[in-house]
Amino acid sequence: MSRLHWKLLEAAAGSCIPQREEPGAPPGAGSGSPPLRGAYLPAPGRGLGSARPRRAARRSAPVLQCRGRGDGAQRFRLSASFFLLLAMAAPRDAEIRKDVQNYYGQVLKKSADLQTSACVTAARLVPKHIREALTNVHEEVALRYYGCGLVIPECLENCWILDLGSGSGRDCYVLSQLVGETGHVTGIDMTENQVEVAKKYIEYHMEKYGFQTPNVTFLHGYMENLEETGIKNESYDIVISNCVINLVPDKQAVLQEAYRVLKHGGELYFSDVYASLELPEEIRTHRILWGDCRFVSATFRLFKLPKTGPAERCQVTYNGGIIGHEKELIFDANFTFKEGEIVEVDEETAAILKNSRFAQNFLIRPIGEKLPAHSGYSALGSKGIITDPFKLAGESDNAKPRCSSDVAGGCCL
């Protein structure tokens, strides 16, 4: 039996008021995504299985909690039960896909063509090696970037990575440098024009990186049905997605497929846009999203871990050494690990560090074990674990921006 653990990394509030209305754009086509098909907050104190929107919905929608296909024992267990990803009604699926494919394949030619500004905020400081990798991406590929975050996790060498909704391939080409020639990156997108642009520059990037054999592949297909494109069970270390899951009518299927293709200990690392309430039908079906509720861009990391019995709080020490994070690793909104400092972590974080690719970078001890002399120590206090992206975004709004948004290539983080 396995389960998927959620960790909130960061969030930033943004405006969803359109700059102008033009025909041909799918709802909320602001930062490359329609937030109206995003998420809403459940009522306080409710779990995902029984959550209801704060404003009554006109019709019910499937919720994110789901059971894996196959052996029947696998399921998603969501530790952060503050939101639901909503699916549009099935009869509209074909219409939604057609709108999205037309917008990203025909209407948009570069990021400046985006018709709303769903999330424009200052970005966090990006490590030097990632900034350098971004500068190596071909100009045409970079200009067609429509994401809302920087979906490049740490510790990537030799990893196999799958990008859901890869578009013109910007994130794939950045990641292909970081995994190295022995790693591999696969991008999948339903918009054929975008896939053609990405494929066009494979040789250019491999030559620029000095790779003898291409380590990136682009597929035309749907992230709701990865099996159709031949993607096998437990074949990837990491799955990423950049402001695309909200475009998909059946979000439950996307998460099931991501779970299926991830190896045990693997990670789903994605940035997307979320709404504070479920939107009324007239907004959900409007071709440009109007600003009638609050939206945030948030980055989450989810780990597929085996259920091996009850986890326990632990004392962990970061050994350093991860490229770009040698002295400090910001793991999520709750934990920042400094090299050599002992930190007390909760049960879920301990399980993730023990079972994921980060295990080799940490020394993990039971609570109460005698600590080395003169070592720093940070206890897990009474402050609650942050799981609500709206709360985190509010804190970010009050903080001084650490760098300008162009550092991350126009991403909002």
Side-chain angles (χ1 to χ4, degrees):
M1 181 181 292
S2 300
R3 54 185 178 179
L4 202 60
H5 294 253
W6 290 67
K7 304 291 286 184
L8 172 62
L9 178 60
E10 55 199 354
S15 168
C16 285
I17 300 176
Q19 298 167 346
R20 60 187 183 276
E21 180 171 357
E22 296 181 9
S31 61
S33 60
L36 60 88
R37 288 192 283 274
Y40 67 84
L41 291 170
R46 294 179 181 266
L48 282 178
S50 59
R52 294 292 181 270
R54 288 179 177 170
R55 188 166 72 190
R58 296 196 176 187
R59 60 172 176 262
S60 62
V63 299
L64 186 58
Q65 192 172 34
C66 54
R67 296 188 179 275
R69 299 166 184 155
D71 65 7
Q74 294 177 332
R75 66 187 179 92
F76 289 143
R77 177 174 176 177
L78 310 183
S79 60
S81 59
F82 58 88
F83 71 88
L84 305 179
L85 289 175
L86 300 179
M88 296 291 283
R92 294 209 61 225
D93 288 3
E95 181 185 345
I96 293 168
R97 281 180 173 174
K98 184 178 179 181
D99 281 346
V100 173
Q101 287 171 325
N102 177 67
Y103 186 64
Y104 290 98
Q106 304 297 328
V107 177
L108 295 183
K109 301 300 180 185
K110 55 187 181 299
S111 57
D113 295 334
L114 290 166
Q115 295 171 18
T116 69
S117 181
C119 190
V120 180
T121 61
R124 65 186 173 100
L125 183 62
V126 177
K128 180 181 178 182
H129 72 291
I130 296 179
R131 296 200 304 270
E132 292 174 348
L134 283 163
T135 64
N136 288 331
V137 177
H138 191 279
E139 182 181 15
E140 183 179 358
V141 172
L143 283 173
R144 288 173 175 262
Y145 167 75
Y146 311 126
C148 71
L150 192 64
V151 286
I152 303 176
E154 316 83 2
C155 203
L156 299 178
E157 189 175 357
N158 302 322
C159 285
W160 278 59
I161 301 178
L162 174 64
D163 183 358
L164 303 179
S166 52
S168 63
R170 191 203 78 158
D171 291 337
C172 287
Y173 283 124
V174 172
L175 290 161
S176 71
Q177 299 171 73
L178 303 180
V179 300
E181 198 165 4
T182 56
H184 193 89
V185 180
T186 302
I188 183 169
D189 201 279
M190 71 173 181
T191 306
E192 195 166 5
N193 287 8
Q194 290 279 66
V195 175
E196 289 173 358
V197 171
K199 287 181 175 180
K200 178 181 175 181
Y201 293 104
I202 292 178
E203 186 176 342
Y204 167 88
H205 289 97
M206 296 305 105
E207 183 178 341
K208 194 171 187 66
Y209 306 158
F211 294 169
Q212 298 300 312
T213 305
N215 73 339
V216 62
T217 303
F218 293 101
L219 304 173
H220 178 231
Y222 297 99
M223 66 180 78
E224 308 98 303
N225 193 347
L226 299 174
E227 197 166 9
E228 271 189 355
T229 60
I231 296 178
K232 299 179 180 179
N233 294 353
E234 300 179 11
S235 54
Y236 287 91
D237 301 290
I238 302 167
V239 175
I240 68 162
S241 182
N242 200 336
C243 215
V244 177
I245 295 176
N246 69 81
L247 287 164
V248 179
D250 191 349
K251 296 169 179 61
Q252 178 172 314
V254 174
L255 291 171
Q256 286 175 322
E257 281 291 84
Y259 184 91
R260 179 182 66 82
V261 305
L262 277 174
K263 300 175 183 178
H264 290 282
E267 176 181 13
L268 170 57
Y269 187 97
F270 73 103
S271 180
D272 223 305
V273 180
Y274 301 84
S276 58
L277 48 80
E278 187 180 17
L279 297 170
E281 187 68 15
E282 59 268 24
I283 299 299
R284 288 162 62 98
T285 57
H286 200 279
R287 288 195 175 272
I288 295 291
L289 176 66
W290 297 101
D292 73 329
C293 72
R294 190 179 179 215
F295 293 86
V296 297
S297 167
T299 301
F300 282 87
R301 57 193 328 163
L302 298 72
F303 291 84
K304 178 180 176 178
L305 305 181
K307 187 174 181 181
T308 56
E312 297 180 351
R313 291 191 178 195
C314 291
Q315 297 168 167
V316 303
T317 305
Y318 176 47
N319 299 324
I322 295 178
I323 296 174
H325 309 272
E326 290 83 359
K327 299 297 182 181
E328 179 182 273
L329 174 64
I330 302 175
F331 191 69
D332 61 16
N334 303 286
F335 292 104
T336 295
F337 301 108
K338 298 181 184 298
E339 182 187 20
E341 182 181 70
I342 299 169
V343 179
E344 182 181 330
V345 299
D346 63 295
E347 296 86 348
E348 182 169 87
T349 304
I352 288 171
L353 295 178
K354 284 179 180 179
N355 292 281
S356 70
R357 69 185 185 282
F358 293 96
Q360 62 185 353
N361 300 107
F362 284 84
L363 178 62
I364 303 174
R365 304 182 181 91
I367 295 291
E369 184 174 307
K370 186 176 180 180
L371 304 177
H374 308 297
S375 59
Y377 182 78
S378 177
L380 181 64
S382 58
K383 181 182 177 181
I385 298 293
I386 300 175
T387 58
D388 187 336
F390 293 89
K391 178 181 178 181
L392 185 60
E395 293 181 0
S396 300
D397 288 345
N398 297 326
K400 183 179 179 180
R402 284 171 277 183
C403 64
S404 63
S405 60
D406 60 359
V407 171
C411 318
C412 63
L413 299 171

